[in-house]
Amino acid sequence: MLDIRLLREDPDGVRERLKTRGGDSWTLVDEVLACDEKRRAGETERQRLQGERNRISKDIGIKKKNGDDTTAIEAEVRGIGDEIKRIGEEADAADARQRELLLNIPNLPHAACPVGADETANPVVRTWGEKPVFSGFEPLDHVALGEKLGLFDFELAAKISSSGFIAFTGPGARLQRALIQFLLNLHTGQHGYREIYPPFIINRDCMIGTGQLPKFEDDMYGLEDGAFFLAPTAEVPVTNLYRDTIVKPEEFPLKLTAYTPCFRREAGSAGRESRGMIRMHQFDKVELVNIVHPDRSFEQLEILTAEAEKVLQLLGLHYRVIELCSGDLGFSSAKTYDIEVWAPGHGAYLEVSSCSNFVDYQARRMKLRYKEEDGKNQHCHTLNGSGTALPRLYVALIETYQQPDGSIRLPEALHGLFGGDRIG
């Protein structure tokens, strides 16, 4: 949530930065300021009337002590009380409306964020490794590989649930488990993260805190009339561990990781971009969450991104890092790097991690603060990144390491966890 003081002090600047995102969120600024003015004016008038009522009430006591008739003045006090109640209700309504509007305004892009309308304007920051070369055979995509080697079954999943789900089977299930373990071991053992195993059902306040609600409610799996939701990402429960908390500065940076299944209603349109397991309603992910001092958050974003990249480096997978332009940024993000891994059977780069700095946007929504040396409470900065999402990592892995004989050679980093060096 944006700081209302920023909108008061620089409304034109806020509008201009919101316009770079596209859409019409910038048009909400005037209504926010109108609600803010009405609320503040109401609070001022309520305080004035309360003072007036207190003064008159003292006069009543004096008059009664002197034996004077106080009927008229008592009626005046009751009238003031009614007016205080009316003004208070109006101020409270303006305050509620102001908060509702602020919750629907996205974060401001970082000042250095590339300006562009969509993903076509995202610059490539760097690449790592080379695209694999296949000699003597045409690489299969992950769907064909999975069917051939018995790694997963989409029809079985649809029988149990519906389309958009997957059932891993045999060595495919073992590979999925090995990848999750590999990711958690890496981030806890080498990158200094504390592992969390959170609930997968999240209450509404937590979903609002990290920005999934109210904007994206239709994309979420809601329970009990929207009081609870299936976790769309571990970012939500893990970041909210510190909701309504004052962090000690010496705890920075707080680094937390968690594995969760993730649930999304939106699974993409039909076609090659959603073929197989590339877009699903349920998928596994290991998430990285950082809570840091504001002065260090953009430096920490570079560290976080490098930690996610390390996954692909250890697995020997070619990838590129792109920076999202203003029109492609997520709702809550100020700056984001996407890591896209090369999937040779698919013939394209697939987003496998998105690393974002939300600055104080989430912290303001969830009242996540720290105490400065002067004793004042300030909002922390929050970051998160996929470390990584499993489906596209799985796709790139089996497509990259497929062999002429139809088997899949596994990278050395997985041998012990999988219990072997190949599938098939």
Side-chain angles (χ1 to χ4, degrees), residues 270-342:
R272 188 162 176 78
E273 291 306 312
S274 59
R275 175 170 164 78
M277 68 170 74
I278 291 174
R279 281 192 177 274
M280 296 187 296
H281 294 301
Q282 177 185 327
F283 60 95
D284 291 328
K285 184 151 65 86
V286 170
E287 192 76 358
L288 308 175
V289 170
N290 290 186
I291 299 171
V292 303
H293 191 283
D295 292 346
R296 298 292 302 275
S297 66
F298 286 99
E299 176 186 348
Q300 193 66 31
L301 177 60
E302 303 299 324
I303 295 171
L304 171 65
T305 305
E307 290 167 344
E309 289 180 64
K310 190 67 174 179
V311 170
L312 304 182
Q313 293 169 8
L314 290 173
L315 295 177
L317 299 175
H318 168 60
Y319 68 88
R320 67 184 183 184
V321 178
I322 63 172
E323 182 176 357
L324 299 195
C325 70
S326 56
D328 200 29
L329 275 179
F331 182 81
S332 300
S333 177
K335 181 175 182 176
T336 295
Y337 294 117
D338 273 3
I339 304 173
E340 298 180 337
V341 67
W342 177 250

Side-chain angles (χ1 to χ4, degrees), residues 165-176:
F165 293 85
I166 187 171
F168 290 99
T169 56
R174 193 160 81 251
L175 177 59
Q176 180 80 346

Side-chain angles (χ1 to χ4, degrees), residues 376-391:
K376 293 182 179 178
N377 291 333
Q378 303 289 346
H379 289 97
C380 303
H381 281 194
T382 62
L383 304 89
N384 80 276
S386 306
T388 62
L390 269 295

Side-chain angles (χ1 to χ4, degrees), residues 13 91 98 100 106 118 152 187 192 211 236 262 271 283 296 311 339 342 409 415:
Q98 176 180 305
E100 178 186 355
D118 54 38
F152 42 75
H187 297 310
V236 182
C262 305
F283 60 95
R296 298 292 302 275
V311 170
I339 304 173
W342 177 250
R409 177 178 59 84
H415 289 179

Side-chain angles (χ1 to χ4, degrees), residues 48-66 68 70 72-81 84:
R48 187 192 70 79
L49 289 172
Q50 286 171 339
E52 180 71 4
R53 182 174 62 178
N54 292 340
R55 183 187 64 78
I56 296 174
S57 295
K58 290 180 181 178
D59 289 345
I60 291 174
I62 294 172
K63 288 181 179 295
K64 283 186 173 182
K65 188 174 182 180
N66 294 334
D68 297 335
T70 60
I73 197 170
E74 287 183 28
E76 182 181 357
V77 168
R78 288 194 294 273
I80 292 174
I84 289 172

Side-chain angles (χ1 to χ4, degrees), residues 352-420:
V352 74
S353 176
S354 190
C355 300
S356 300
N357 184 0
F358 306 107
V359 293
D360 62 354
Y361 188 85
Q362 292 181 330
R364 194 173 298 280
R365 294 167 80 108
M366 65 177 69
K367 297 180 181 178
L368 167 54
R369 295 154 293 168
Y370 72 98
K371 193 176 292 292
E372 286 276 23
E373 290 182 1
D374 60 8
K376 293 182 179 178
N377 291 333
Q378 303 289 346
H379 289 97
C380 303
H381 281 194
T382 62
L383 304 89
N384 80 276
S386 306
T388 62
L390 269 295
R392 295 172 185 182
L393 180 65
Y394 197 112
V395 167
L397 183 77
I398 65 174
E399 290 185 1
T400 296
Y401 285 103
Q402 59 184 298
Q403 302 298 303
D405 63 0
S407 67
I408 296 171
R409 177 178 59 84
L410 297 178
E412 185 177 353
L414 297 177
H415 289 179
L417 296 168
F418 179 76

